[in-house]
Amino acid sequence: GAAMGLIDQLLAALLLYGQPALFGVIVIAAVGAPLPVNLMLVAAGSFIEQGEMRLWLVLIVASTAAMLGDLIGYGLSRWGGRRLVARISRKLGGEDKIRKTEALAIRWGGPGIFFSRWLVTSLAPWLHVTSGIAEYPWPRFILWAVLGDILWVVLYVMLGYVFSDRVQAIAEVLGYLVWVILGFIATI
């Protein structure tokens, strides 16, 4: 359906435009747009293995993009306030995610920022926004976000590199794993 069309377009853009496409998609997703960034990183790893991209360049570009997107989300919510976040999340359909992740941000703090980025990627942008609303200290936010971003990028790119011939299967497993992890978090 439409989701596969989007995925196909993003993968085609990644292959055609390389790191600039990867950078743009990751920044936009890190701010909160629901894009398949894990799949993009796995695909980039596969393209590296096939000689289409360079490992060090992908790691630097993707990590920088994730950090920038995280800082934009945090900064908008920290200095733009709850009203701005409410307006943006209504447009992106994220109001319920904001409410749920606000409790997570308060409960888990820095470790939540770190683990959300690489373990439950779909929650990360919302946790960063709610960390900003909750005025989580800026230096600590940067520390936890950067550590999580780098681990996330390296982990997913290397998955794609090592299992280059099985990228589609990895994408499906990662999709199921996210739901299992979310279920576990909901029970804690």
Side-chain angles (χ1 to χ4, degrees):
M4 276 315 290
L6 174 65
I7 290 170
D8 290 341
Q9 288 177 346
L10 289 173
L11 292 177
L14 178 62
L15 193 53
L16 189 60
Y17 301 110
Q19 286 84 6
L22 186 65
F23 184 87
V25 170
I26 290 175
V27 168
I28 293 166
V31 173
L35 297 172
V37 287
N38 289 344
L39 177 60
M40 294 281 291
L41 289 172
V42 169
S46 178
F47 294 155
I48 291 164
E49 197 278 330
Q50 295 168 26
E52 301 290 332
M53 297 176 120
R54 289 207 172 107
L55 177 63
W56 65 271
L57 200 53
V58 167
L59 295 179
I60 291 170
V61 165
S63 296
T64 303
M67 292 175 214
L68 179 62
D70 292 349
L71 290 173
I72 290 169
Y74 174 89
L76 283 174
S77 59
R78 173 89 188 235
W79 293 286
R82 192 176 290 277
R83 272 199 340 254
L84 177 64
V85 170
R87 193 172 335 138
I88 292 170
S89 64
R90 255 195 315 278
K91 288 186 171 128
L92 293 175
E95 291 169 292
D96 58 325
K97 287 183 182 174
I98 291 288
R99 280 192 296 278
K100 289 175 185 172
T101 56
E102 195 162 9
L104 269 173
I106 292 165
R107 184 174 180 186
W108 294 97
I113 293 164
F114 172 74
F115 285 110
S116 71
R117 170 44 72 206
W118 63 272
L119 199 55
V120 192
T121 309
S122 59
L123 277 186
W126 305 106
L127 194 58
H128 300 156
V129 164
T130 53
S131 295
I133 292 171
E135 297 187 4
Y136 188 78
W138 174 253
R140 287 205 312 242
F141 174 81
I142 291 173
L143 171 71
W144 288 108
V146 166
L147 292 174
D149 288 336
I150 292 170
L151 180 59
W152 172 58
V153 168
V154 169
L155 188 67
Y156 282 81
V157 168
M158 293 315 293
L159 267 173
Y161 182 84
V162 172
F163 299 104
S164 180
D165 57 336
R166 292 180 229 118
V167 168
Q168 189 59 44
I170 291 170
E172 289 171 17
V173 169
L174 291 175
Y176 296 130
L177 188 60
V178 166
W179 289 110
V180 170
I181 293 167
L182 285 174
F184 176 72
I185 290 171
T187 62
I188 297 176

